[in-house]
Amino acid sequence: LATNAATRVLDEGGNAADAAIAAAFMLAVVEPTMSSIGGRNQILVRRSNGEFLGYDGMTEVPAGYVAPAEAPAQGYATIAIPGVVAALARLHEEQGLLPLADLLAPAITTAEQGFGILPAEAARHARALKLIKDNPGFQRTFLRDGRVHAPGERLRQPILGKTLRQLSVAGLGDFYKGETARAIAADMRGNGGFVTQADLASYK
């Protein structure tokens, strides 16, 4: 699905940067445990004149982070400031040709309408069943009648679709300084996370 999204962008006159952005957002939908918009990335670009560029979308430690005596293996306290969206935003601003809404459209449609979950993704959900059951957000998204989806079953992610639609309309900067940022910060506050609105706004 990510490859198809990228190919469609190229067919519509987009360039490699546009195709990479469309593929990245689609991967966030179809492989959320591996390629989430809440994670990190690094992007390498070779321009037609032979120049190389790098975009560093790695995570950053929140300003108010307090290291515990024993580091948790999972949960809100392990979440850093995400860099994926910022790196894709800068790539689009500096290298992209097509409107952002065109690049996000395939991912939004797939998140809202669903797709047949891939075997490897279904297996990762099955291994994480206890963690999923411990997290209300994960439960709403990844469980069907209290169980994980079997390979090929349709997984719908309406909340992710709504988030991507918001970014499509408001711009990717909304993830760091808009409605999306406020929602992330509120969720962090309510669940013991360290990432704040100020952290998101100051990400570079």
Side-chain angles (χ1 to χ4, degrees), residues 9-139:
V9 163
L10 294 173
D11 290 343
E12 292 173 353
N15 61 16
D18 293 320
I21 292 164
F25 279 106
M26 182 64 86
L27 284 171
V29 174
V30 300
E31 266 196 341
T33 61
M34 303 296 287
S35 305
S36 163
I37 59 172
R40 58 184 181 263
N41 63 5
Q42 292 178 318
I43 303 168
L44 298 177
V45 177
R46 183 183 186 275
R47 302 181 70 181
S48 57
N49 64 3
E51 178 187 9
F52 285 91
L53 302 171
Y55 294 84
D56 183 359
M58 298 303 284
T59 51
E60 293 181 353
V61 178
Y65 175 73
V66 177
E70 186 174 338
Q74 59 201 21
Y76 279 81
T78 67
I79 299 173
I81 310 164
V84 166
V85 175
L88 293 173
R90 187 162 177 186
L91 177 67
H92 182 253
E93 178 186 340
E94 296 182 357
Q95 311 297 332
L97 295 176
L98 298 184
L100 180 68
D102 293 355
L103 306 182
L104 268 67
I108 292 169
T109 299
T110 303
E112 292 176 344
Q113 296 182 2
F115 67 99
I117 190 168
L118 301 169
E121 185 72 9
R124 286 189 286 271
H125 291 190
R127 287 196 299 271
L129 180 57
K130 184 183 183 305
L131 172 61
I132 291 172
K133 286 185 173 180
D134 288 344
N135 183 299
F138 286 172
Q139 282 185 46

